[in-house]
Amino acid sequence: MSTESAMPHAHLRAFFALRHALPGWVCTGALAVLPTSIQAQGFAAYITPPRFEVQATPGQSLRQVLEIQHVGSQKGNYRIYTSDWTLQSDNSVTFSDELAADSCRPWVAIERRELTIEPGARYRYRFEITPPPGTPARECRFAIMVEGLDPARVQGSFNFPVGGRIGVIVYATIGDAAPQLDIAATRVTTVNGKRAAMIDVRNRGNAHGRLEGFVNAIDATGARFEMAPADLPIMPGETRGIAISPVVEDGKPAPEIRFPLTVKGSFEWGKNRLPLDASFTP
């Protein structure tokens, strides 16, 4: 393993790049989607997995590996660093190079800060999380940022460089930290110009949680269908609106919901169940 200076394989050095990232798109997931008019030698990477949810033990190092595949036609040059992040009320993510007040990034060691990958090649990139001995139960959250160092150029009326970066979100549960979810309210809201059923989910725990599973619904016309919650994290101490939508088979359009809507069933979070028996009326 190479870094800024040679070091044994058993030890990784944490490096935190405290300078502004290239302008561009931030995508939490596999592919940063750039306009088709951008030249091929720009940012072009797939990263798996799109997020990590792991259990860490105080005083012990936990090593994880993400895979970066460069799909450009020329060599890809990347900068890799850690970042703190915040999930906004509109479900967008804001990344910050500055250490947050409760940041756990000092516990994180990354393999190297710059990387060159041949066209079509894959690179297994390592990082470690080492909570200090005696760390109380909590959740450590940060992002591994993979940023292109070869800005592409947008052609057309304007000619200007843009850059791309991917944020791989990491959740590390320390000790017995866990979410504690309950439903604070139900309502009808507008999502992408259409009415949607929304449940406000409150998290009284000390780790993030997600809803999973299906519930049964009947709308004003008597139409029956299954509904599933949006795959969004509910952070400790917050209440977040989670839209529930009809389950749609591939290639079929989503049904048009006629309110009022009656929903019954239970969602799951971890090994727990969250009952829902509600009427959604605009």
Side-chain angles (χ1 to χ4, degrees):
M1 184 185 310
S2 63
T3 56
E4 289 181 282
S5 58
M7 63 182 66
H9 285 262
H11 298 281
L12 298 175
R13 180 186 302 177
F15 176 85
F16 303 119
L18 299 179
R19 62 187 176 91
H20 293 293
L22 289 171
W25 293 262
V26 177
C27 175
T28 305
L31 176 66
V33 182
L34 302 180
T36 56
S37 59
I38 290 180
Q39 296 176 357
Q41 67 267 29
F43 185 87
Y46 287 97
I47 298 182
T48 55
R51 72 172 180 249
F52 290 82
E53 297 188 1
V54 297
Q55 182 79 37
T57 302
Q60 298 182 18
S61 294
L62 176 68
R63 175 174 290 188
Q64 297 293 304
V65 177
L66 59 87
E67 185 174 85
I68 306 170
Q69 180 184 8
H70 178 61
V71 296
S73 59
Q74 300 179 21
K75 289 182 180 180
N77 297 301
Y78 298 96
R79 181 169 76 100
I80 299 154
Y81 56 100
T82 65
S83 180
D84 284 307
W85 59 273
T86 303
L87 183 63
Q88 304 295 332
S89 59
D90 63 358
N91 301 325
S92 64
V93 178
T94 300
F95 295 94
S96 173
D97 286 340
E98 296 184 5
L99 288 175
D102 62 344
S103 178
C104 62
R105 284 161 56 199
W107 308 348
V108 180
I110 61 175
E111 176 181 339
R112 56 192 302 178
R113 63 170 180 166
E114 291 190 359
L115 184 64
T116 297
I117 308 177
E118 297 290 333
R122 302 171 186 264
Y123 188 90
R124 289 174 58 80
Y125 186 90
R126 294 168 289 178
F127 65 95
E128 287 183 352
I129 308 166
T130 309
T135 300
R138 59 162 291 184
E139 184 173 68
C140 168
R141 296 186 297 271
F142 62 96
I144 300 290
M145 308 300 296
V146 181
E147 179 180 287
L149 291 179
D150 304 313
R153 301 196 70 85
V154 174
Q155 306 293 334
S157 301
F158 299 95
N159 187 329
F160 58 93
V162 298
R165 62 179 182 173
I166 292 176
V168 179
I169 301 298
V170 181
Y171 302 89
T173 301
I174 314 299
D176 60 358
Q180 183 64 46
L181 306 183
D182 62 73
I183 296 176
T186 60
R187 54 193 169 95
V188 176
T189 187
T190 300
V191 178
N192 296 327
K194 293 185 177 181
R195 286 177 174 174
M198 184 80 71
I199 55 177
D200 292 326
V201 183
R202 179 170 46 212
N203 186 353
R204 302 178 187 271
N206 56 358
H208 85 288
R210 295 175 190 269
L211 295 183
E212 299 177 333
F214 306 95
V215 290
N216 298 311
I218 306 175
D219 76 358
T221 69
R224 297 173 179 267
F225 38 81
E226 285 188 319
M227 303 187 77
D231 183 27
L232 290 172
I234 302 102
M235 298 303 174
E238 78 166 9
T239 299
R240 182 164 296 275
I242 304 293
I244 56 174
S245 306
V247 178
V248 181
E249 296 181 15
D250 290 342
K252 292 187 178 182
E256 186 73 25
I257 299 176
R258 305 294 182 182
F259 289 91
L261 178 74
T262 299
V263 178
K264 291 185 179 182
S266 294
F267 292 123
E268 291 121 24
W269 51 276
K271 298 180 180 180
N272 301 280
R273 300 177 70 84
L274 186 64
L276 177 63
D277 185 351
S279 179
F280 294 82
T281 302

